[in-house]
Amino acid sequence: MARLELDHLVKKYASGYAIQDVSLDVADGEMVCLLGPSGCGKTTTLRVIGGFITPDQGDVRIDGRSILRLPPERRPTAMVFQRYTLWPHMDVWHNVAFGLELRHRPRKEIEKAVQQALELVGLPGAEKRHPAQLSGGQQQRVALARALVLEPRILLLDEPFSNLDAQLRIHMREELTAIQRRVGITSVFVTHDQEEALSIADRIAVMRAGVIEQVATPSELYARPATRFVATFIGSMNVIDGRVDAAGSVVAGPFRLALPPGVGLSEGQPLVIGIRPEDLILEGPNGTGTPAQVTQVTDLGHYHRVSVDLPEVGSVTVFTDKSHGASLGRATLRPRRVLFYRDDRLIGVTEPEQVPSRS
Ligand SMILES: Nc1ncnc2c1ncn2[C@@H]1O[C@H](COP(=O)(O)OP(=O)(O)OP(=O)(O)O)[C@@H](O)[C@H]1O
Ligand SMILES: [Mg+2]
């Protein structure tokens, strides 16, 4: 096992920064996901760790020692690439054994390791087959076996399941998590799929335009997104422009809300509020909230997604329990938990008991 530290990494190309000042600590045996939209610098970060790209600035340390001077094959890392790259002319056995042969390990040891790695990814008996004779999912598993067989202290995975169908993807995700926990490898997993990140990561680093915006556990990230970008990137979020009024409350559309404790803003200051769809309480027309209009109800199995027209705001999204039975037409709406953003940064949260209902 190993602790990984990324210290102020910078990589710039003629077209601009691929990564800008990326710092991240990954604990022993931890699985951290790099999550972000296409082009935000995820692969670049991973390749810097693996030694395939030299950063312009910054350092990569494992257990406190810089590995920047080591070539990829001498780093205690193994990488599963974004486009899985098995050698088509080699059978599965040779594909998996390649890294160990390169390291001149004894034949007996290689045989044992390859067999173990193939068992680990659920492909025993596939040794003699060629990549072209395998399904996409099987090829990705061979790619994973090829990385695991090196017994890396740090496993780097670049969207390793991107080409799989939804079901196989979930299956592989569970397999990987089980392997990772059993073997205890420190891992960095790149994905742009938030559900994937939320389901496998101990912590998630959300990246945008070459910068890490927030690093947190999945539940913390969901409950307290630190920036407006993270708030809208993870899950769904209703975002409403607001302003501080003369009484020191926040007026956002038809809502009038107390500022969170400890937050002092002066009259007229603009801010933005964020409310998760499950934190909007939808009630009948005689409820205590703001009058609103239900325009659409979509049955999503265990819950309803409801579109509600809110005066001055437009359409917002509400999730309701199925038993709640939302119906089209007049209703009332009130927020239960509200996030406050100023200059796109989280300044406070009002938890349910702090949101006064409208009189
Ligand atoms: N060799 C290169 N030369 C010039 N620009 C590059 C190079 N490699 C990456 N970039 C740019 O750096 C930025 C980050 O690229 P990177 O591959 O790290 O993104 P990514 O987050 O992995 O995206 P994706 O989700 O699409 O794989 C992009 O804008 C990309 O165009
Ligand atoms: Mg990439």
Side-chain angles (χ1 to χ4, degrees), residues 37-84:
S38 184
C40 71
K42 305 180 296 294
T43 295
T44 304
T45 305
L46 216 58
R47 284 179 169 266
V48 167
I49 304 169
F52 305 97
I53 292 176
T54 307
D56 301 326
Q57 284 174 49
D59 200 2
V60 179
R61 286 186 292 270
I62 293 176
D63 289 335
R65 297 178 66 170
S66 178
I67 55 161
L68 270 195
R69 273 173 227 218
L70 300 176
E73 67 277 9
R74 294 199 45 219
R75 296 188 182 195
T77 56
M79 182 148 164
V80 177
F81 291 88
Q82 189 162 9
R83 274 167 292 279
Y84 45 93

Side-chain angles (χ1 to χ4, degrees), residues 274-293:
I275 309 171
R276 293 277 184 211
E278 64 273 24
D279 288 329
L280 278 168
I281 314 294
L282 185 66
E283 288 172 325
N286 299 321
T288 54
T290 301
Q293 198 78 16

